[in-house]
Amino acid sequence: MIKHNLLLLYRNFRRFKGTFFINLVGLSMGLTCALLIWLWVSDELGVDKFHEKDERLFQVMENFYHDTGIETGAGTPGPLARALMEEMPEIEYAVAVVPAGMGQQQGVISVADKRIKISAQYAGRDFFNVFSYRLLEGDHNKVLADQKGVAISTALALKLFNTTYDVAGKTIGWNQGEKTALFYVSGLFETPPANSSNQFDIVFNYDLFLQDKPWLETWTSTDPRTYVVLREGASASQLNTKIRGFLKSKDKNIRETLFVQRYSDRYLYGKYENGAPAGGRIAYVKLFSIIAVFILLIACINFMNLSTAKASRRIKEVGIKKAVGAGRKTLIIQYLSESMTMAFLSLAIAVLATDLLLTPFGSLTGKQLVLRFDTSLVLTAIGITLVTGVLAGSYPALYLSGFKPALVLKGRMNKSTGEGWARKGLVVFQFAISVILIVSVIVAYRQMEYIQTKNLGYSRDHVIYFDTEKVSDALMAEIKTLPGVINAARFYHDLTGNHGGTYALDWEGKKPDDRIDFGNLEVGYDLIETMGFDLVEGRSFSRDFGSDEQIIFNEAAIQAMGLKDPIGKTVTIWNFRRQIVGVVKNFHFESFYEEVKPCFFFLVPMIDNTPSRIMVKIQAGSEKTTLEHLQKFHQRHNAGLPFDFRFMDDDYQKLYAAEQRVSALSQYFAGIAIVISCLGLFALAAFTAERRLKEIGVRKVLGSSVTGIVLLLSRDFSKIVFTAILIALPVSYLIATRWLGGFAFRVALEWWYFAGAGAVAMIIAWVTVGTQAFKAAKVNPVLCLKEE
């Protein structure tokens, strides 16, 4: 029987080549999408899961209460880790970490004549007991015990020593401006894997960071991150109850509260509302998982529809088999085996296609995805294929095996109204999903276009920035004289979300219960002019006045403080008195997910021969030559260090990297869904035209035109697609509204987004069906009636 069924399978595939090809292409495309999305989803779900103590590893988060609500942040007081370790018996380890790239931690490592610019990470001595970054040399308990000892990654060891063997004990130099110190390598760790959210190459002792910033020993500081490992059996919820008011027990004036969140959950659940986790990247993981399921369903629907549509060609086969004793179970197995064979053939093609598309797909998603045939992938692929095969073949198998032999041998087949409606319903489902995806593409594209073109309140075009070891007035003046440089300024905080913040600001008339979270942007002279901020009152920073006498606010800050005629008034910040000299128009210094918040520009005095970040505005069209001049300038003042510069526009784009990927991926997935749907519609139109050939011949003999016949054959399919559009539009409106609701600044939902999506779907359907209808209408009526 197996040999017999395989022979029948081969003959059916050869007999119905068109159907076989359409099903194979459709299922292959669906499975390819599913495999690619599964690889991406698996990678997202696996971020930070490699730590051995993952189930017990938590990050301490802090809730800040201010006038506009609760803001959750990762920064915690400097003494917190030590205090939690001493006072909370549930905690096995607690460690404070200042991540690489946070604050002014950049310096130069030197070994002999090699000099490498790098950002330092500072951590407590239990860092390698808390996190499972594999130590190749050194002891977990001792590697960060000595302030003169540092742990370096294998990647950094190769750069410094050209080897990863016996590097422990070797000496390196660390230079930050005028501060120079020697350290020895106390540990060597494997470079953090790609699925680690924390990427770093060097770890210094945390106490070194405290020496330079003694204010971090206060309970009102918020720079370090605090991580804890709970003891076996300890409850995170009970710990949350105990530590909620922990800060207030240290300082009665503190209103902030604490809670812990599982460390590996932070990557996917990094969004907070009212002081609690409320989604984040997990939304896109769920979104693309659903898209993968729907694309597979669309491919399966093609198989169901085409199999039932061609059932009329197989009724005699069914009748003969039943007449000679074949049971319904036997027939179901036969037809299911056809769908399973088709599914596994499609899987083979999908695996090849996935391997070919992995590199461009990885570039699109920003990940280094690898197709490894491990147990997880193999079982998942087989599982998806089995489900696809059963889903695609179940309805045709049950449908075909249910024919009555007496009727089918007479060439008759009961035309079930339910079967016709089921087929139409499946086509409606296919095109409804396609229309939803088209609307999603339009809305995502329009929102990304809005983000790219909206006036931010400053000009980010043709602006670069770079770090220099030493800065001075003479150096700044030299930069401004370089050909192609319009202006230049020092700055210490970015305009793309990486800024400081404080509540410690007082002004005349401030109410005792006012608690406003101000964004803090530390800058040098000429930044206002370099970036083109619009002054609505007052003036910019001037060298004619002392740096400790000037401060500039945005409109939102002046409004929040309730100040009238603010120019000339004095505020106190961090025990410094500053005079308000200017007010700039509101500008976006955070992403479009956030409302424009109160902020101020804090003028930082020049300290000669210290590291600094320099922002340069370049004349449009002269980028290449200007960068060459800047590179030569950098080499003169930073010997041996590469000229690492970045365009501000690139940083801005990174704020919306996830959204841009969603927009791009949606376009591809929408296109795939439409192609698969149209393949099925094309085949159904062909079968419909074939069944109605005699009717077409009679109509042509009686004088019907080609146009009339094309309209006749297209009418039913137009109704089906129109029904799909009516169902899809309200659903797509709800989805688009919910997605856009996450943005504080967003496009309005225009009617033409939905009308356009419906029109595109209808036109594609008309072209698909019309092609077959026109072909059928052109057939010679003599040939149509000849068989009679």
Side-chain angles (χ1 to χ4, degrees), residues 362-375:
S363 300
L364 191 62
T365 58
K367 288 185 174 291
Q368 297 176 352
L369 300 176
V370 179
L371 187 62
R372 295 191 182 94
F373 292 98
D374 51 19
T375 305

PDB file of all heavy atoms in Angstrom, residues 362-375:
ATOM      1  N   GLY A 362      19.592  38.988   8.414  1.00  0.00           N
ATOM      2  CA  GLY A 362      20.344  39.408   9.592  1.00  0.00           C
ATOM      3  C   GLY A 362      20.710  40.879   9.528  1.00  0.00           C
ATOM      4  O   GLY A 362      20.650  41.589  10.538  1.00  0.00           O
ATOM      5  N   SER A 363      21.067  41.358   8.335  1.00  0.00           N
ATOM      6  CA  SER A 363      21.383  42.783   8.171  1.00  0.00           C
ATOM      7  C   SER A 363      20.150  43.639   8.428  1.00  0.00           C
ATOM      8  O   SER A 363      20.229  44.714   9.039  1.00  0.00           O
ATOM      9  CB  SER A 363      21.910  43.048   6.756  1.00  0.00           C
ATOM     10  OG  SER A 363      23.083  42.305   6.507  1.00  0.00           O
ATOM     11  N   LEU A 364      19.015  43.144   7.971  1.00  0.00           N
ATOM     12  CA  LEU A 364      17.770  43.890   8.134  1.00  0.00           C
ATOM     13  C   LEU A 364      17.358  43.975   9.598  1.00  0.00           C
ATOM     14  O   LEU A 364      16.862  45.002  10.062  1.00  0.00           O
ATOM     15  CB  LEU A 364      16.666  43.211   7.314  1.00  0.00           C
ATOM     16  CG  LEU A 364      15.352  43.976   7.135  1.00  0.00           C
ATOM     17  CD1 LEU A 364      15.571  45.284   6.401  1.00  0.00           C
ATOM     18  CD2 LEU A 364      14.342  43.109   6.396  1.00  0.00           C
ATOM     19  N   THR A 365      17.581  42.905  10.343  1.00  0.00           N
ATOM     20  CA  THR A 365      17.174  42.868  11.754  1.00  0.00           C
ATOM     21  C   THR A 365      18.277  43.296  12.702  1.00  0.00           C
ATOM     22  O   THR A 365      18.041  43.418  13.908  1.00  0.00           O
ATOM     23  CB  THR A 365      16.717  41.450  12.138  1.00  0.00           C
ATOM     24  OG1 THR A 365      17.791  40.517  11.885  1.00  0.00           O
ATOM     25  CG2 THR A 365      15.497  41.036  11.333  1.00  0.00           C
ATOM     26  N   GLY A 366      19.485  43.510  12.170  1.00  0.00           N
ATOM     27  CA  GLY A 366      20.594  43.920  13.027  1.00  0.00           C
ATOM     28  C   GLY A 366      21.127  42.804  13.905  1.00  0.00           C
ATOM     29  O   GLY A 366      21.673  43.052  14.978  1.00  0.00           O
ATOM     30  N   LYS A 367      20.984  41.563  13.460  1.00  0.00           N
ATOM     31  CA  LYS A 367      21.435  40.423  14.263  1.00  0.00           C
ATOM     32  C   LYS A 367      22.349  39.517  13.449  1.00  0.00           C
ATOM     33  O   LYS A 367      22.258  39.470  12.219  1.00  0.00           O
ATOM     34  CB  LYS A 367      20.234  39.613  14.764  1.00  0.00           C
ATOM     35  CG  LYS A 367      19.446  40.317  15.859  1.00  0.00           C
ATOM     36  CD  LYS A 367      18.353  39.409  16.382  1.00  0.00           C
ATOM     37  CE  LYS A 367      17.655  40.024  17.570  1.00  0.00           C
ATOM     38  NZ  LYS A 367      18.508  40.095  18.749  1.00  0.00           N
ATOM     39  N   GLN A 368      23.184  38.783  14.158  1.00  0.00           N
ATOM     40  CA  GLN A 368      24.052  37.791  13.524  1.00  0.00           C
ATOM     41  C   GLN A 368      23.399  36.422  13.694  1.00  0.00           C
ATOM     42  O   GLN A 368      23.708  35.671  14.611  1.00  0.00           O
ATOM     43  CB  GLN A 368      25.436  37.815  14.161  1.00  0.00           C
ATOM     44  CG  GLN A 368      26.179  39.128  13.984  1.00  0.00           C
ATOM     45  CD  GLN A 368      27.507  39.156  14.697  1.00  0.00           C
ATOM     46  OE1 GLN A 368      27.847  38.260  15.458  1.00  0.00           O
ATOM     47  NE2 GLN A 368      28.282  40.205  14.453  1.00  0.00           N
ATOM     48  N   LEU A 369      22.476  36.131  12.804  1.00  0.00           N
ATOM     49  CA  LEU A 369      21.718  34.884  12.902  1.00  0.00           C
ATOM     50  C   LEU A 369      22.464  33.774  12.182  1.00  0.00           C
ATOM     51  O   LEU A 369      23.050  33.981  11.116  1.00  0.00           O
ATOM     52  CB  LEU A 369      20.325  35.062  12.306  1.00  0.00           C
ATOM     53  CG  LEU A 369      19.448  36.137  12.965  1.00  0.00           C
ATOM     54  CD1 LEU A 369      18.139  36.289  12.219  1.00  0.00           C
ATOM     55  CD2 LEU A 369      19.185  35.780  14.423  1.00  0.00           C
ATOM     56  N   VAL A 370      22.417  32.579  12.780  1.00  0.00           N
ATOM     57  CA  VAL A 370      23.100  31.418  12.216  1.00  0.00           C
ATOM     58  C   VAL A 370      22.119  30.255  12.169  1.00  0.00           C
ATOM     59  O   VAL A 370      21.375  30.006  13.129  1.00  0.00           O
ATOM     60  CB  VAL A 370      24.330  31.028  13.064  1.00  0.00           C
ATOM     61  CG1 VAL A 370      25.014  29.810  12.466  1.00  0.00           C
ATOM     62  CG2 VAL A 370      25.312  32.192  13.159  1.00  0.00           C
ATOM     63  N   LEU A 371      22.104  29.553  11.033  1.00  0.00           N
ATOM     64  CA  LEU A 371      21.239  28.388  10.878  1.00  0.00           C
ATOM     65  C   LEU A 371      21.985  27.152  11.359  1.00  0.00           C
ATOM     66  O   LEU A 371      22.724  26.520  10.596  1.00  0.00           O
ATOM     67  CB  LEU A 371      20.807  28.236   9.414  1.00  0.00           C
ATOM     68  CG  LEU A 371      19.773  27.156   9.101  1.00  0.00           C
ATOM     69  CD1 LEU A 371      18.454  27.435   9.816  1.00  0.00           C
ATOM     70  CD2 LEU A 371      19.540  27.045   7.603  1.00  0.00           C
ATOM     71  N   ARG A 372      21.821  26.837  12.631  1.00  0.00           N
ATOM     72  CA  ARG A 372      22.463  25.663  13.210  1.00  0.00           C
ATOM     73  C   ARG A 372      21.430  24.545  13.348  1.00  0.00           C
ATOM     74  O   ARG A 372      20.356  24.756  13.901  1.00  0.00           O
ATOM     75  CB  ARG A 372      23.043  25.980  14.590  1.00  0.00           C
ATOM     76  CG  ARG A 372      24.176  26.983  14.586  1.00  0.00           C
ATOM     77  CD  ARG A 372      24.842  27.027  15.951  1.00  0.00           C
ATOM     78  NE  ARG A 372      25.905  28.012  16.017  1.00  0.00           N
ATOM     79  CZ  ARG A 372      25.746  29.258  16.450  1.00  0.00           C
ATOM     80  NH1 ARG A 372      24.547  29.660  16.854  1.00  0.00           N
ATOM     81  NH2 ARG A 372      26.758  30.099  16.489  1.00  0.00           N
ATOM     82  N   PHE A 373      21.786  23.381  12.868  1.00  0.00           N
ATOM     83  CA  PHE A 373      20.843  22.263  12.927  1.00  0.00           C
ATOM     84  C   PHE A 373      20.961  21.555  14.278  1.00  0.00           C
ATOM     85  O   PHE A 373      21.323  20.383  14.354  1.00  0.00           O
ATOM     86  CB  PHE A 373      21.092  21.298  11.760  1.00  0.00           C
ATOM     87  CG  PHE A 373      20.757  21.892  10.430  1.00  0.00           C
ATOM     88  CD1 PHE A 373      21.754  22.443   9.624  1.00  0.00           C
ATOM     89  CD2 PHE A 373      19.445  21.967   9.984  1.00  0.00           C
ATOM     90  CE1 PHE A 373      21.451  23.018   8.403  1.00  0.00           C
ATOM     91  CE2 PHE A 373      19.132  22.540   8.761  1.00  0.00           C
ATOM     92  CZ  PHE A 373      20.137  23.060   7.967  1.00  0.00           C
ATOM     93  N   ASP A 374      20.633  22.301  15.324  1.00  0.00           N
ATOM     94  CA  ASP A 374      20.640  21.684  16.650  1.00  0.00           C
ATOM     95  C   ASP A 374      19.277  21.049  16.917  1.00  0.00           C
ATOM     96  O   ASP A 374      18.348  21.151  16.108  1.00  0.00           O
ATOM     97  CB  ASP A 374      20.974  22.720  17.722  1.00  0.00           C
ATOM     98  CG  ASP A 374      20.104  23.965  17.632  1.00  0.00           C
ATOM     99  OD1 ASP A 374      19.030  23.882  17.007  1.00  0.00           O
ATOM    100  OD2 ASP A 374      20.484  25.010  18.163  1.00  0.00           O
ATOM    101  N   THR A 375      19.163  20.397  18.053  1.00  0.00           N
ATOM    102  CA  THR A 375      17.930  19.678  18.383  1.00  0.00           C
ATOM    103  C   THR A 375      16.728  20.600  18.371  1.00  0.00           C
ATOM    104  O   THR A 375      15.658  20.257  17.853  1.00  0.00           O
ATOM    105  CB  THR A 375      18.065  19.011  19.764  1.00  0.00           C
ATOM    106  OG1 THR A 375      19.218  18.176  19.769  1.00  0.00           O
ATOM    107  CG2 THR A 375      16.836  18.180  20.081  1.00  0.00           C
TER     108      THR A 375
END
